[in-house]
Amino acid sequence: MPYVASRHNSLIAHVITIVFGLIALIILLHLAFVLLEANPGNPLVAFFAELANWFSWLFRDMFTIDDAKVRAIVNYGLAALVYLLIGGAIAGAGRRWGHD
């Protein structure tokens, strides 16, 4: 019996897109705090730094560039991009699944 696409596939794809997008947003917000030199002692800034560091642990020190801001742009920017690409790929595959 062939698989029939349903609204559930679309809902799951949207949830995946939202989750991965929120992770990328957290990382990018931390990156903005770094670039704007926000006070790292502020509880909100520290909270987002902890979340971003947890989500981007594979990318944090991937490139060791001397300039701290450029290093943050490259490493955290790469992490955010990867999350967006993975989320988009998974959601896209979920939407196409059942249409074969």
Side-chain angles (χ1 to χ4, degrees), residues 12-67:
I12 292 169
H14 286 303
V15 169
I16 289 171
T17 302
I18 289 169
V19 168
F20 278 82
L22 285 174
I23 293 170
L25 181 64
I26 289 166
I27 294 169
L28 292 174
L29 187 57
H30 169 65
L31 181 57
F33 287 153
V34 169
L35 295 177
L36 296 171
E37 299 178 9
N39 176 11
N42 177 282
L44 184 64
V45 174
F47 174 73
F48 278 100
E50 285 294 319
L51 282 176
N53 284 328
W54 192 82
F55 284 121
S56 62
W57 64 274
L58 281 174
F59 301 94
R60 261 196 327 254
D61 295 320
M62 184 175 281
F63 298 99
T64 54
I65 301 166
D66 290 335
D67 186 316

Side-chain angles (χ1 to χ4, degrees), residues 4-5 10-11 19 22 29 34 38 51 58-59 68 71 77 81 84-85 94 99:
V4 178
S10 180
L11 176 64
V19 168
L22 285 174
L29 187 57
V34 169
L51 282 176
L58 281 174
F59 301 94
R71 183 174 55 245
L81 179 63
L84 289 174
L85 290 174
H99 294 287

